[in-house]
Amino acid sequence: MSRYHEIKHRVATTFQRHVGNPILVRLPNQPVLETTGRKSGEARRTPIGGRRVGREFWIVSEFGEKSQYVRNIQADPRVRVRLRGRWHTGTAHLLPGDDPRARLKALPRLNSAAVRAIGTNLLTIRVDLDE
């Protein structure tokens, strides 16, 4: 990763961790991904942008395998997704062969624009919902 991308990653994740995420996770209609912490074993909640299509929920991670929630998925793919205030269980799948830029075109516009703007290593994730 270039020095520019490293700085961009550090600034974005610091802002998300300390400002954006604590606010967004409390909003009732904000989609939230809950993973199990790979070290702590505790529930970790991350506000996300994405779209449900049938029994699948699609996400694009802006920092790929550097994202903490992606690392948690690698350790344990069982997740929960909060959609419109209701929790759904499912299994997350990392899809490095998918075209994340093309995928963003099918996801909510505002979040997709932010992911494109700050992302340095885009990665598509599909969550197969149990219900």
Side-chain angles (χ1 to χ4, degrees), residues 25-28 30-35 43-48 52 79-90 129-131:
V25 79
R26 288 182 172 85
L27 299 177
Q30 171 67 47
V32 174
L33 176 70
E34 183 181 85
T35 59
R44 301 293 183 201
R45 293 183 176 175
T46 305
I48 53 171
R52 183 175 184 165
V79 299
R80 292 194 321 152
V81 181
R82 187 181 75 191
L83 302 172
R84 296 187 177 115
R86 183 167 171 250
W87 287 99
H88 305 268
T89 59
L129 302 171
D130 294 337
E131 51 200 74

Side-chain angles (χ1 to χ4, degrees), residues 5-124:
H5 286 142
E6 185 60 40
I7 291 169
K8 192 175 180 182
H9 175 259
R10 190 174 306 128
V11 169
T13 56
T14 299
F15 176 81
Q16 288 170 341
R17 184 175 297 124
H18 298 290
V19 179
N21 290 2
I23 294 168
L24 291 173
V25 79
R26 288 182 172 85
L27 299 177
N29 288 327
Q30 171 67 47
V32 174
L33 176 70
E34 183 181 85
T35 59
T36 301
R38 64 193 177 283
K39 295 178 184 177
S40 69
E42 296 178 12
R44 301 293 183 201
R45 293 183 176 175
T46 305
I48 53 171
R51 174 161 286 140
R52 183 175 184 165
V53 179
R55 291 182 59 184
E56 300 172 340
F57 189 79
W58 292 87
I59 310 163
V60 174
S61 169
E62 66 264 53
F63 300 116
E65 292 185 10
K66 286 196 75 164
S67 294
Q68 297 302 313
Y69 73 88
V70 172
R71 291 178 180 184
N72 290 342
I73 288 169
Q74 288 173 320
D76 181 358
R78 294 295 299 161
V79 299
R80 292 194 321 152
V81 181
R82 187 181 75 191
L83 302 172
R84 296 187 177 115
R86 183 167 171 250
W87 287 99
H88 305 268
T89 59
T91 304
H93 303 276
L94 306 181
L95 304 172
D98 191 67
D99 181 350
R101 292 200 178 276
R103 182 69 57 194
L104 284 170
K105 292 176 183 176
L107 300 181
R109 208 172 283 163
L110 182 60
N111 182 75
S112 293
V115 168
R116 275 192 295 275
I118 66 170
T120 58
N121 188 23
L122 305 183
L123 175 65
T124 302

